[in-house]
Amino acid sequence: MLTPGPDHPITVKPAKTRWRVSFENHVIADSGDALVLQEADLPPVVYFPRQDVAMEYFARTDRRTHCPYKGDAAYYTILMDGQFAENAVWTYEDPFPAVEAIRERLAFYPDKVEVYPCDDHQVNPRGAHTEVDEVVLHTDAGDGHSQKEHWPPNVETVAVPGEGGVR
């Protein structure tokens, strides 16, 4: 076991944004609780909590690798819609103490799936309810009256069945 240091630094930090993984045009991971592991000069790796991953599309494989800084990695193959990505996912189920934060989390090979950040507001907008709330306020409150003044009409006449016009 090697310990990260100035010659081989490793940092694990919470992601600053929401992250997703897409395979065959399906989102298979979506998390606002991802961690980003930066190891030496290697590209950063995003680790997802298992509860934010669609594990029903994964099959454990026999592949195992060893990292002297992180420990032993286990792998999964993704199978969805008749397509598969062999050993596209890895996990450190019992990582070394220096990277304990990635325990039981999953990482993905970006050449086999699409791993990308996304705007949390677009995915799960906390303010999106504003439009819905606005509509609710203009509808029947249950007693025959709206909770807010009616919107102005957006048509000048109403088509009457049997008298032509748009229906």
Side-chain angles (χ1 to χ4, degrees):
M1 171 174 51
L2 297 176
T3 304
D7 60 325
H8 193 92
I10 296 178
T11 60
V12 180
K13 296 180 180 178
K16 293 180 180 178
T17 187
R18 180 179 212 91
W19 282 84
R20 280 188 161 179
V21 176
S22 177
F23 177 69
E24 295 297 317
N25 297 315
H26 296 283
V27 174
I28 58 172
D30 179 2
S31 183
D33 185 31
L35 296 177
V36 179
L37 183 140
Q38 179 66 59
E39 180 175 359
D41 295 331
L42 299 171
V45 176
V46 179
Y47 282 84
F48 292 81
R50 285 181 191 239
Q51 65 267 20
D52 294 345
V53 177
M55 296 296 293
E56 63 270 21
Y57 300 108
F58 295 12
R60 186 73 169 252
T61 69
D62 292 333
R63 180 178 167 98
R64 307 242 342 139
T65 58
H66 178 78
C67 171
Y69 292 95
K70 296 187 294 285
D72 295 321
Y75 290 79
Y76 291 91
T77 289
I78 303 168
L79 177 60
M80 177 183 277
D81 293 342
Q83 302 295 316
F84 70 94
E86 190 171 355
N87 295 312
V89 185
W90 75 91
T91 183
Y92 289 92
E93 294 167 336
D94 190 22
F96 292 153
V99 292
E100 175 65 27
I102 65 170
R103 177 183 295 276
E104 296 289 326
R105 289 178 175 255
L106 301 166
F108 298 81
Y109 282 109
D111 62 330
K112 297 185 179 200
V113 298
E114 183 183 3
V115 181
Y116 59 96
C118 57
D119 183 357
D120 188 47
H121 186 72
Q122 291 174 339
V123 174
N124 188 15
R126 287 159 178 58
H129 300 292
T130 305
E131 288 181 30
V132 173
D133 291 344
E134 189 68 18
V135 170
V136 169
L137 288 174
H138 287 280
T139 59
D140 188 338
D143 63 358
H145 298 88
S146 63
Q147 300 172 55
K148 196 172 182 183
E149 291 296 318
H150 287 284
W151 283 313
N154 60 1
V155 294
E156 291 184 22
T157 60
V158 177
V160 178
E163 295 184 14
V166 180
R167 295 183 194 172

